Amino acid sequence: MKTCLVVDDSKVIRKVARHILEAMNFEVSEAADGREALDSCLAKVPDAVLLDWNMPVMSGMDFLRALRDTQLSSRPKVVFCTTENGMAHIRAAIEAGADEYVMKPFDRETLESKLQLVGLA
């Protein structure tokens, strides 16, 4: 079973994402900020990370940079999931190591298509 870590400071977004991902046969874990997500990835690398941009403690971009600097045995596919829609934000996320980008609010069809693009759906 594929695994996905949902990283968002909004409990509602995590719940919606969990519902969609579990319907797609993913095993889902959650983190409320980038620091918690990094600790989770260091303990067990997921296949995918659905990542919010703006969070307390450690932002999505800071998490992505920290993840890139770790010595993990494998790298999860990272899909940024955010309200930030400017081309500069999208370019910065991709340059920092994100594999895809999805806008909030999202639905199953949108998320599934992004996960297909990174080879996980």
Side-chain angles (χ1 to χ4, degrees), residues 1 4 14 26 54 67 87 91 103-104 106:
M1 183 178 277
C4 185
R14 291 196 313 267
F26 276 85
N54 297 305
L67 183 69
M87 282 308 296
R91 192 175 312 108
M103 296 302 301
K104 289 179 187 173
F106 56 89

Side-chain angles (χ1 to χ4, degrees), residues 3 26 48 53 60 64 69 75 80 88 103 116-117:
T3 58
F26 276 85
W53 189 291
L64 200 51
D69 293 341
R75 293 269 182 242
F80 251 114
M103 296 302 301
Q116 283 175 344
L117 287 172

Side-chain angles (χ1 to χ4, degrees), residues 13 18 24 29 55-56 64 69 72 84 99:
I13 296 293
R18 173 183 285 278
M24 295 170 56
S29 55
M55 296 178 290
L64 200 51
D69 293 341
L72 297 175
E84 301 291 348
D99 297 285

Side-chain angles (χ1 to χ4, degrees), residues 28-43:
V28 180
S29 55
E30 300 179 17
D33 61 61
R35 178 78 252 164
E36 198 178 306
L38 188 59
D39 291 344
S40 180
C41 286
L42 292 172

Side-chain angles (χ1 to χ4, degrees), residues 37-74:
L38 188 59
D39 291 344
S40 180
C41 286
L42 292 172
K44 183 178 182 224
V45 182
D47 296 309
V49 176
L50 188 61
L51 182 63
D52 185 24
W53 189 291
N54 297 305
M55 296 178 290
V57 183
M58 180 186 277
S59 72
M61 285 298 285
D62 289 341
F63 162 81
L64 200 51
R65 290 183 191 107
L67 183 69
R68 187 180 56 200
D69 293 341
T70 63
Q71 300 299 316
L72 297 175
S73 57
S74 63

